[in-house]
Amino acid sequence: MKRREFIASLTGVVAWPSTANAQQKIDLPLIGTLWPGRPTAPITVSLSEAFRNGLREEGYVEGQNVRAEYRYAEGVEGLEMAAAELADLDVKVILATGTPAVLAARHATKSIPIMARLWRDQGKRDEARELLAPVYGWFTEGFDTRDLKEAKKLLDELVV
């Protein structure tokens, strides 16, 4: 082996660990969150904090073994644009809060799971119910709409 070839091969070996470490950080699963309203609104701050606490309780730490992208928007059009951004980021799951955000997420993608259904499918029925029940409870009308009927069906399924 010639000297230059040997030195070139050593350079590749020395550079490999840093490349592998960089790759690991890039490959962390990405969670998308879609919140109606402003990021500084008290309810949004409270829900975001609860989300982060829930991640920690399940052993997930942002930047170490999971990444999260947060999108906040007002109005249907804003939520749809934010949901499309999340779908384009190749998130693994979208946590959407409130029916308008859930509808926007469903409009943006059919292949990315919505959190309550994902938790149900993973056997985390109590967590799914705790996530969905308060959102469903905010409504005082519109129970004959397809989305609220589906939410009610899922809640009934989670109680059993």
Side-chain angles (χ1 to χ4, degrees):
M1 181 182 292
K2 295 183 182 178
R3 182 175 172 204
R4 283 187 185 152
E5 291 171 350
F6 177 73
I7 291 172
S9 68
L10 281 181
T11 304
V13 171
V14 171
W16 178 74
S18 63
T19 304
N21 288 339
Q23 185 66 31
Q24 286 175 343
K25 290 180 182 175
I26 291 171
D27 287 342
L28 294 177
L30 180 59
I31 299 171
T33 65
L34 184 58
W35 309 96
R38 295 180 312 275
T40 56
I43 186 70
T44 308
V45 171
S46 175
L47 290 171
S48 296
E49 189 174 301
F51 169 70
R52 287 185 184 99
N53 289 338
L55 283 177
R56 280 191 293 276
E57 288 172 10
E58 293 295 320
Y60 296 102
V61 179
E62 282 186 69
Q64 291 182 11
N65 56 2
V66 71
R67 295 177 299 143
E69 280 291 328
Y70 299 87
R71 294 294 184 273
Y72 308 88
E74 294 183 11
V76 173
E77 192 173 305
L79 287 166
E80 287 178 352
M81 288 186 343
E85 287 176 17
L86 289 172
D88 288 343
L89 292 174
D90 194 31
V91 297
K92 299 301 178 202
V93 66
I94 295 176
L95 169 64
T97 306
T99 298
V102 170
L103 291 175
R106 285 180 47 195
H107 184 259
T109 180
K110 299 290 184 209
S111 61
I112 299 172
I114 307 299
M115 199 68 157
R117 287 191 182 107
L118 176 70
W119 282 351
R120 176 204 57 196
D121 295 346
Q122 292 178 341
K124 298 179 181 181
R125 300 173 69 81
D126 292 338
E127 291 90 341
R129 188 179 62 253
E130 289 171 12
L131 176 69
L132 186 56
V135 174
Y136 184 81
W138 292 339
F139 290 90
T140 58
E141 58 185 43
F143 295 104
D144 58 339
T145 62
R146 182 177 57 109
D147 295 304
L148 287 180
K149 284 180 182 178
E150 286 180 19
K152 176 68 170 142
K153 181 179 174 185
L154 180 55
L155 277 171
D156 291 344
E157 190 180 307
L158 294 169
V159 172
V160 175

